Amino acid sequence: MKTEFFINNRAKFIERMDDYSTAVFFSGKAPRESADQQYSFSVDRNFFYLTGIDREDMVLVISKIAGNVDETLYIQPVNEHFEKWYGILMRKEEAIKISGIKTVENRNDFLTKFSSKLSSADRPDNVYIFSYITDVEEPYDCYRSFANWLRNQHPTVIIKNSLDIMIELRSSKSEEEVEEIKTAIGYTNEALQFVMKNLKPGMYEYQVRADFEYQLMLRNSKPSFTTIAASSGNAVILHYVDLQRKMADDDLILLDLGALSNYYASDITRTYPVNGKFTQRQKDIYNIVLGAQDVTFDAMHVGASEKDVNNRVKAYFAKELKTLKFIKDDSEVDKYYYHSIGHPLGLDVHDYIRRDKTMQENNVYTVEPGLYIKEEGIGIRIEDNVWVTKNGIINLSKDIIKTVSDIENFMNK
Ligand SMILES: [Mn+2]
């Protein structure tokens, strides 16, 4: 991605931060998995959004004091021993080139320099750190240990959360970001075509996952989240990840999966007949879910509330389920449709949710109606990724086939 994109993101952040403030962003560290193994590193998405860099243990500091802006990036110093074992660390010149940040310092000096800044004449009153989902069971992350240090060493400084600014910036996608999501959708489409060609009774669910992820790896991509491959009755479990079942003739398989392109995610669900042909019952329910997508697309526009859109879908499902004699009253719809219609998508698969929960220009959402008939072992979800524009919505994943006839024709070609 272009350096200008990241420079622009920081400019937008600076515009929104209070004067006499400093904001700190950490790139993060991989947690330990066992005695001598680390989980693979995945960069903090806000750090990436503001710098374009995806390396471990870096710190971005942005200051606005009396209107004067200062940006400093702290990176790990060159360490020959480390490089012999793990790879080449990022050099100053490269960090400047990718991020457009002119001042790059040694990571080991961060706390000392930050501390002296807080005691100087041009000190900030506020320090922005970032907090989103806090879970007391989770180990301390970089922000928490930094917040503790701040409270101990500089108890009068005001700690603010940069969450609201990041929600505003990240929920409004630039064209460049939409292009990345489209690329991620393209990988997903190609990998799904390979999956469909290989799919047959007798395969295990984990083999379908392997087919999908192998195709992503061939494209230097990877899954945007843990691949869900749920056959038959397993598909009524929304986040089913066990994948041990051997598939039989006449099974459906629900695949909820996605790929990454420069950390931008796609999140797609398709439901296929394992033997290449839907039964009449499967087809009937499948087409109801497909119809729910159209109801959703019609309801989505700039200013629409997520709740209203979901209620339209629920009303549609209730009507269809009553016709099929599954339910007698609208209130029973939750038995067969028990999630909501979608979520914002971007650098995170579940991107930040706006506080007012309305759809705004340049938001990207998933649209994922589903019906889950436990008593018949049928679970069907169809999920696309949609861009909200002032001229209406654009389905970014319309090329991934989904009608009954298109799926059957493709699988039997
Ligand atoms: Mn999904």
Side-chain angles (χ1 to χ4, degrees):
M1 297 174 82
K2 292 198 190 84
T3 303
E4 284 67 36
F5 171 67
F6 303 107
I7 292 175
N8 196 26
N9 291 345
R10 290 196 300 277
K12 285 191 273 188
F13 184 89
I14 289 159
E15 218 178 277
R16 287 160 178 82
M17 69 192 280
D18 290 345
D19 203 1
Y20 292 96
S21 299
T22 295
V24 179
F25 291 93
F26 296 94
S27 72
K29 274 183 180 179
R32 195 174 292 283
E33 185 177 12
S34 65
D36 67 340
Q37 294 292 309
Q38 308 274 107
Y39 283 105
S40 61
F41 173 67
S42 189
V43 69
D44 177 273
R45 298 305 196 261
N46 291 326
F47 184 88
F48 178 79
Y49 181 84
L50 295 167
T51 65
I53 296 174
D54 61 355
R55 297 296 189 97
E56 214 162 342
D57 200 18
M58 291 189 175
V59 192
L60 168 67
V61 180
I62 302 174
S63 293
K64 183 156 88 175
I65 306 291
N68 296 314
V69 173
D70 181 70
E71 300 174 335
T72 306
L73 187 64
Y74 291 88
I75 71 173
Q76 286 183 300
V78 175
N79 175 335
E80 282 179 21
H81 173 78
F82 178 95
E83 292 190 336
K84 275 181 188 154
W85 281 83
Y86 303 109
I88 305 301
L89 290 158
M90 184 171 279
R91 299 300 195 260
K92 195 175 167 176
E93 299 69 33
E94 197 186 349
I96 293 170
K97 193 164 169 255
I98 296 171
S99 66
I101 296 167
K102 307 273 188 318
T103 312
V104 177
E105 309 261 14
N106 185 330
R107 171 69 176 91
N108 299 336
D109 299 334
F110 163 63
L111 279 186
T112 317
K113 294 208 169 177
F114 199 82
S115 209
S116 66
K117 196 80 174 169
L118 285 175
S119 318
S120 71
D122 53 357
R123 66 190 175 275
D125 296 327
N126 317 296
V127 175
Y128 286 88
I129 60 170
F130 184 82
S131 177
Y132 184 42
I133 296 166
T134 48
D135 184 341
V136 287
E137 301 297 323
E138 273 179 21
Y140 271 40
D141 61 12
C142 301
Y143 286 105
R144 282 207 210 182
S145 46
F146 179 64
N148 284 339
W149 174 86
L150 259 183
R151 287 199 179 98
N152 273 316
Q153 301 296 316
H154 302 275
T156 57
V157 87
I158 298 162
I159 296 178
K160 294 196 166 200
N161 193 353
S162 48
L163 173 63
D164 282 334
I165 300 179
M166 295 314 296
I167 291 174
E168 193 191 338
L169 298 192
R170 282 182 46 186
S171 67
S172 176
K173 267 71 175 179
S174 67
E175 267 178 49
E176 191 170 2
E177 291 178 285
V178 174
E179 278 309 311
E180 292 296 342
I181 295 171
K182 274 162 95 173
T183 304
I185 290 168
Y187 296 146
T188 309
N189 190 9
E190 289 164 13
L192 272 175
Q193 289 180 18
F194 181 85
V195 165
M196 290 170 86
K197 283 286 171 208
N198 264 3
L199 197 59
K200 53 182 176 298
M203 277 175 86
Y204 286 89
E205 293 165 331
Y206 59 78
Q207 292 176 315
V208 180
R209 175 191 180 184
D211 275 349
F212 177 73
E213 296 188 5
Y214 156 67
Q215 288 296 311
L216 295 189
M217 288 170 87
L218 285 180
R219 290 161 175 80
N220 199 23
S221 177
K222 57 184 172 187
S224 50
F225 58 93
T226 307
T227 299
I228 296 166
S231 67
S232 188
N234 292 336
V236 307
I237 304 164
L238 300 178
H239 289 176
Y240 169 81
V241 290
D242 190 40
L243 274 54
Q244 297 303 307
R245 187 170 175 279
K246 189 179 185 176
M247 295 179 288
D249 207 25
D250 285 339
D251 274 0
L252 289 177
I253 184 164
L254 182 158
L255 301 171
D256 188 344
L257 35 74
L260 287 183
S261 173
N262 276 322
Y263 299 100
Y264 284 85
S266 58
D267 180 2
I268 301 292
T269 307
R270 288 293 183 267
T271 308
Y272 301 132
V274 170
N275 65 8
K277 201 148 173 49
F278 289 89
T279 66
Q280 189 56 49
R281 182 64 158 175
Q282 290 167 349
K283 207 184 291 187
D284 292 344
I285 296 167
Y286 188 93
N287 283 328
I288 293 172
V289 178
L290 201 57
Q293 274 208 327
D294 292 329
V295 171
T296 315
F297 295 153
D298 285 346
M300 288 178 79
H301 57 83
V302 172
S305 94
E306 291 177 19
K307 199 170 176 218
D308 288 347
V309 173
N310 195 41
N311 283 340
R312 292 262 292 270
V313 176
K314 283 174 86 165
Y316 163 84
F317 274 146
K319 184 174 136 276
E320 296 293 331
L321 289 169
K322 277 192 280 191
T323 308
L324 286 177
K325 310 240 183 291
F326 276 109
I327 62 171
K328 289 196 179 83
D329 187 82
D330 283 19
S331 63
E332 298 168 88
V333 72
D334 293 353
K335 192 181 165 196
Y336 298 102
Y337 169 61
Y338 38 84
H339 52 80
S340 60
I341 192 60
H343 53 81
L345 176 74
L347 281 172
D348 283 294
V349 175
H350 295 100
D351 227 27
Y352 301 143
I353 295 171
R354 290 171 50 86
R355 282 188 169 183
D356 64 3
K357 296 189 178 171
T358 62
M359 299 177 176
Q360 296 301 330
E361 192 178 348
N362 293 323
N363 290 172
V364 174
Y365 273 92
T366 66
V367 169
E368 45 180 320
L371 281 179
Y372 311 95
I373 323 276
K374 196 174 178 182
E375 53 271 34
E376 295 187 24
I378 294 178
I380 294 169
R381 181 162 65 249
I382 309 169
E383 176 178 21
D384 281 308
N385 301 156
V386 163
W387 180 19
V388 182
T389 78
K390 62 175 185 294
N391 302 318
I393 58 140
I394 295 170
N395 183 357
L396 300 172
S397 50
K398 65 173 174 15
D399 292 342
I400 305 181
I401 60 168
K402 63 183 176 187
T403 65
V404 165
S405 59
D406 282 351
I407 290 170
E408 289 185 345
N409 288 340
F410 186 89
M411 291 182 76
N412 295 292
K413 206 158 48 187

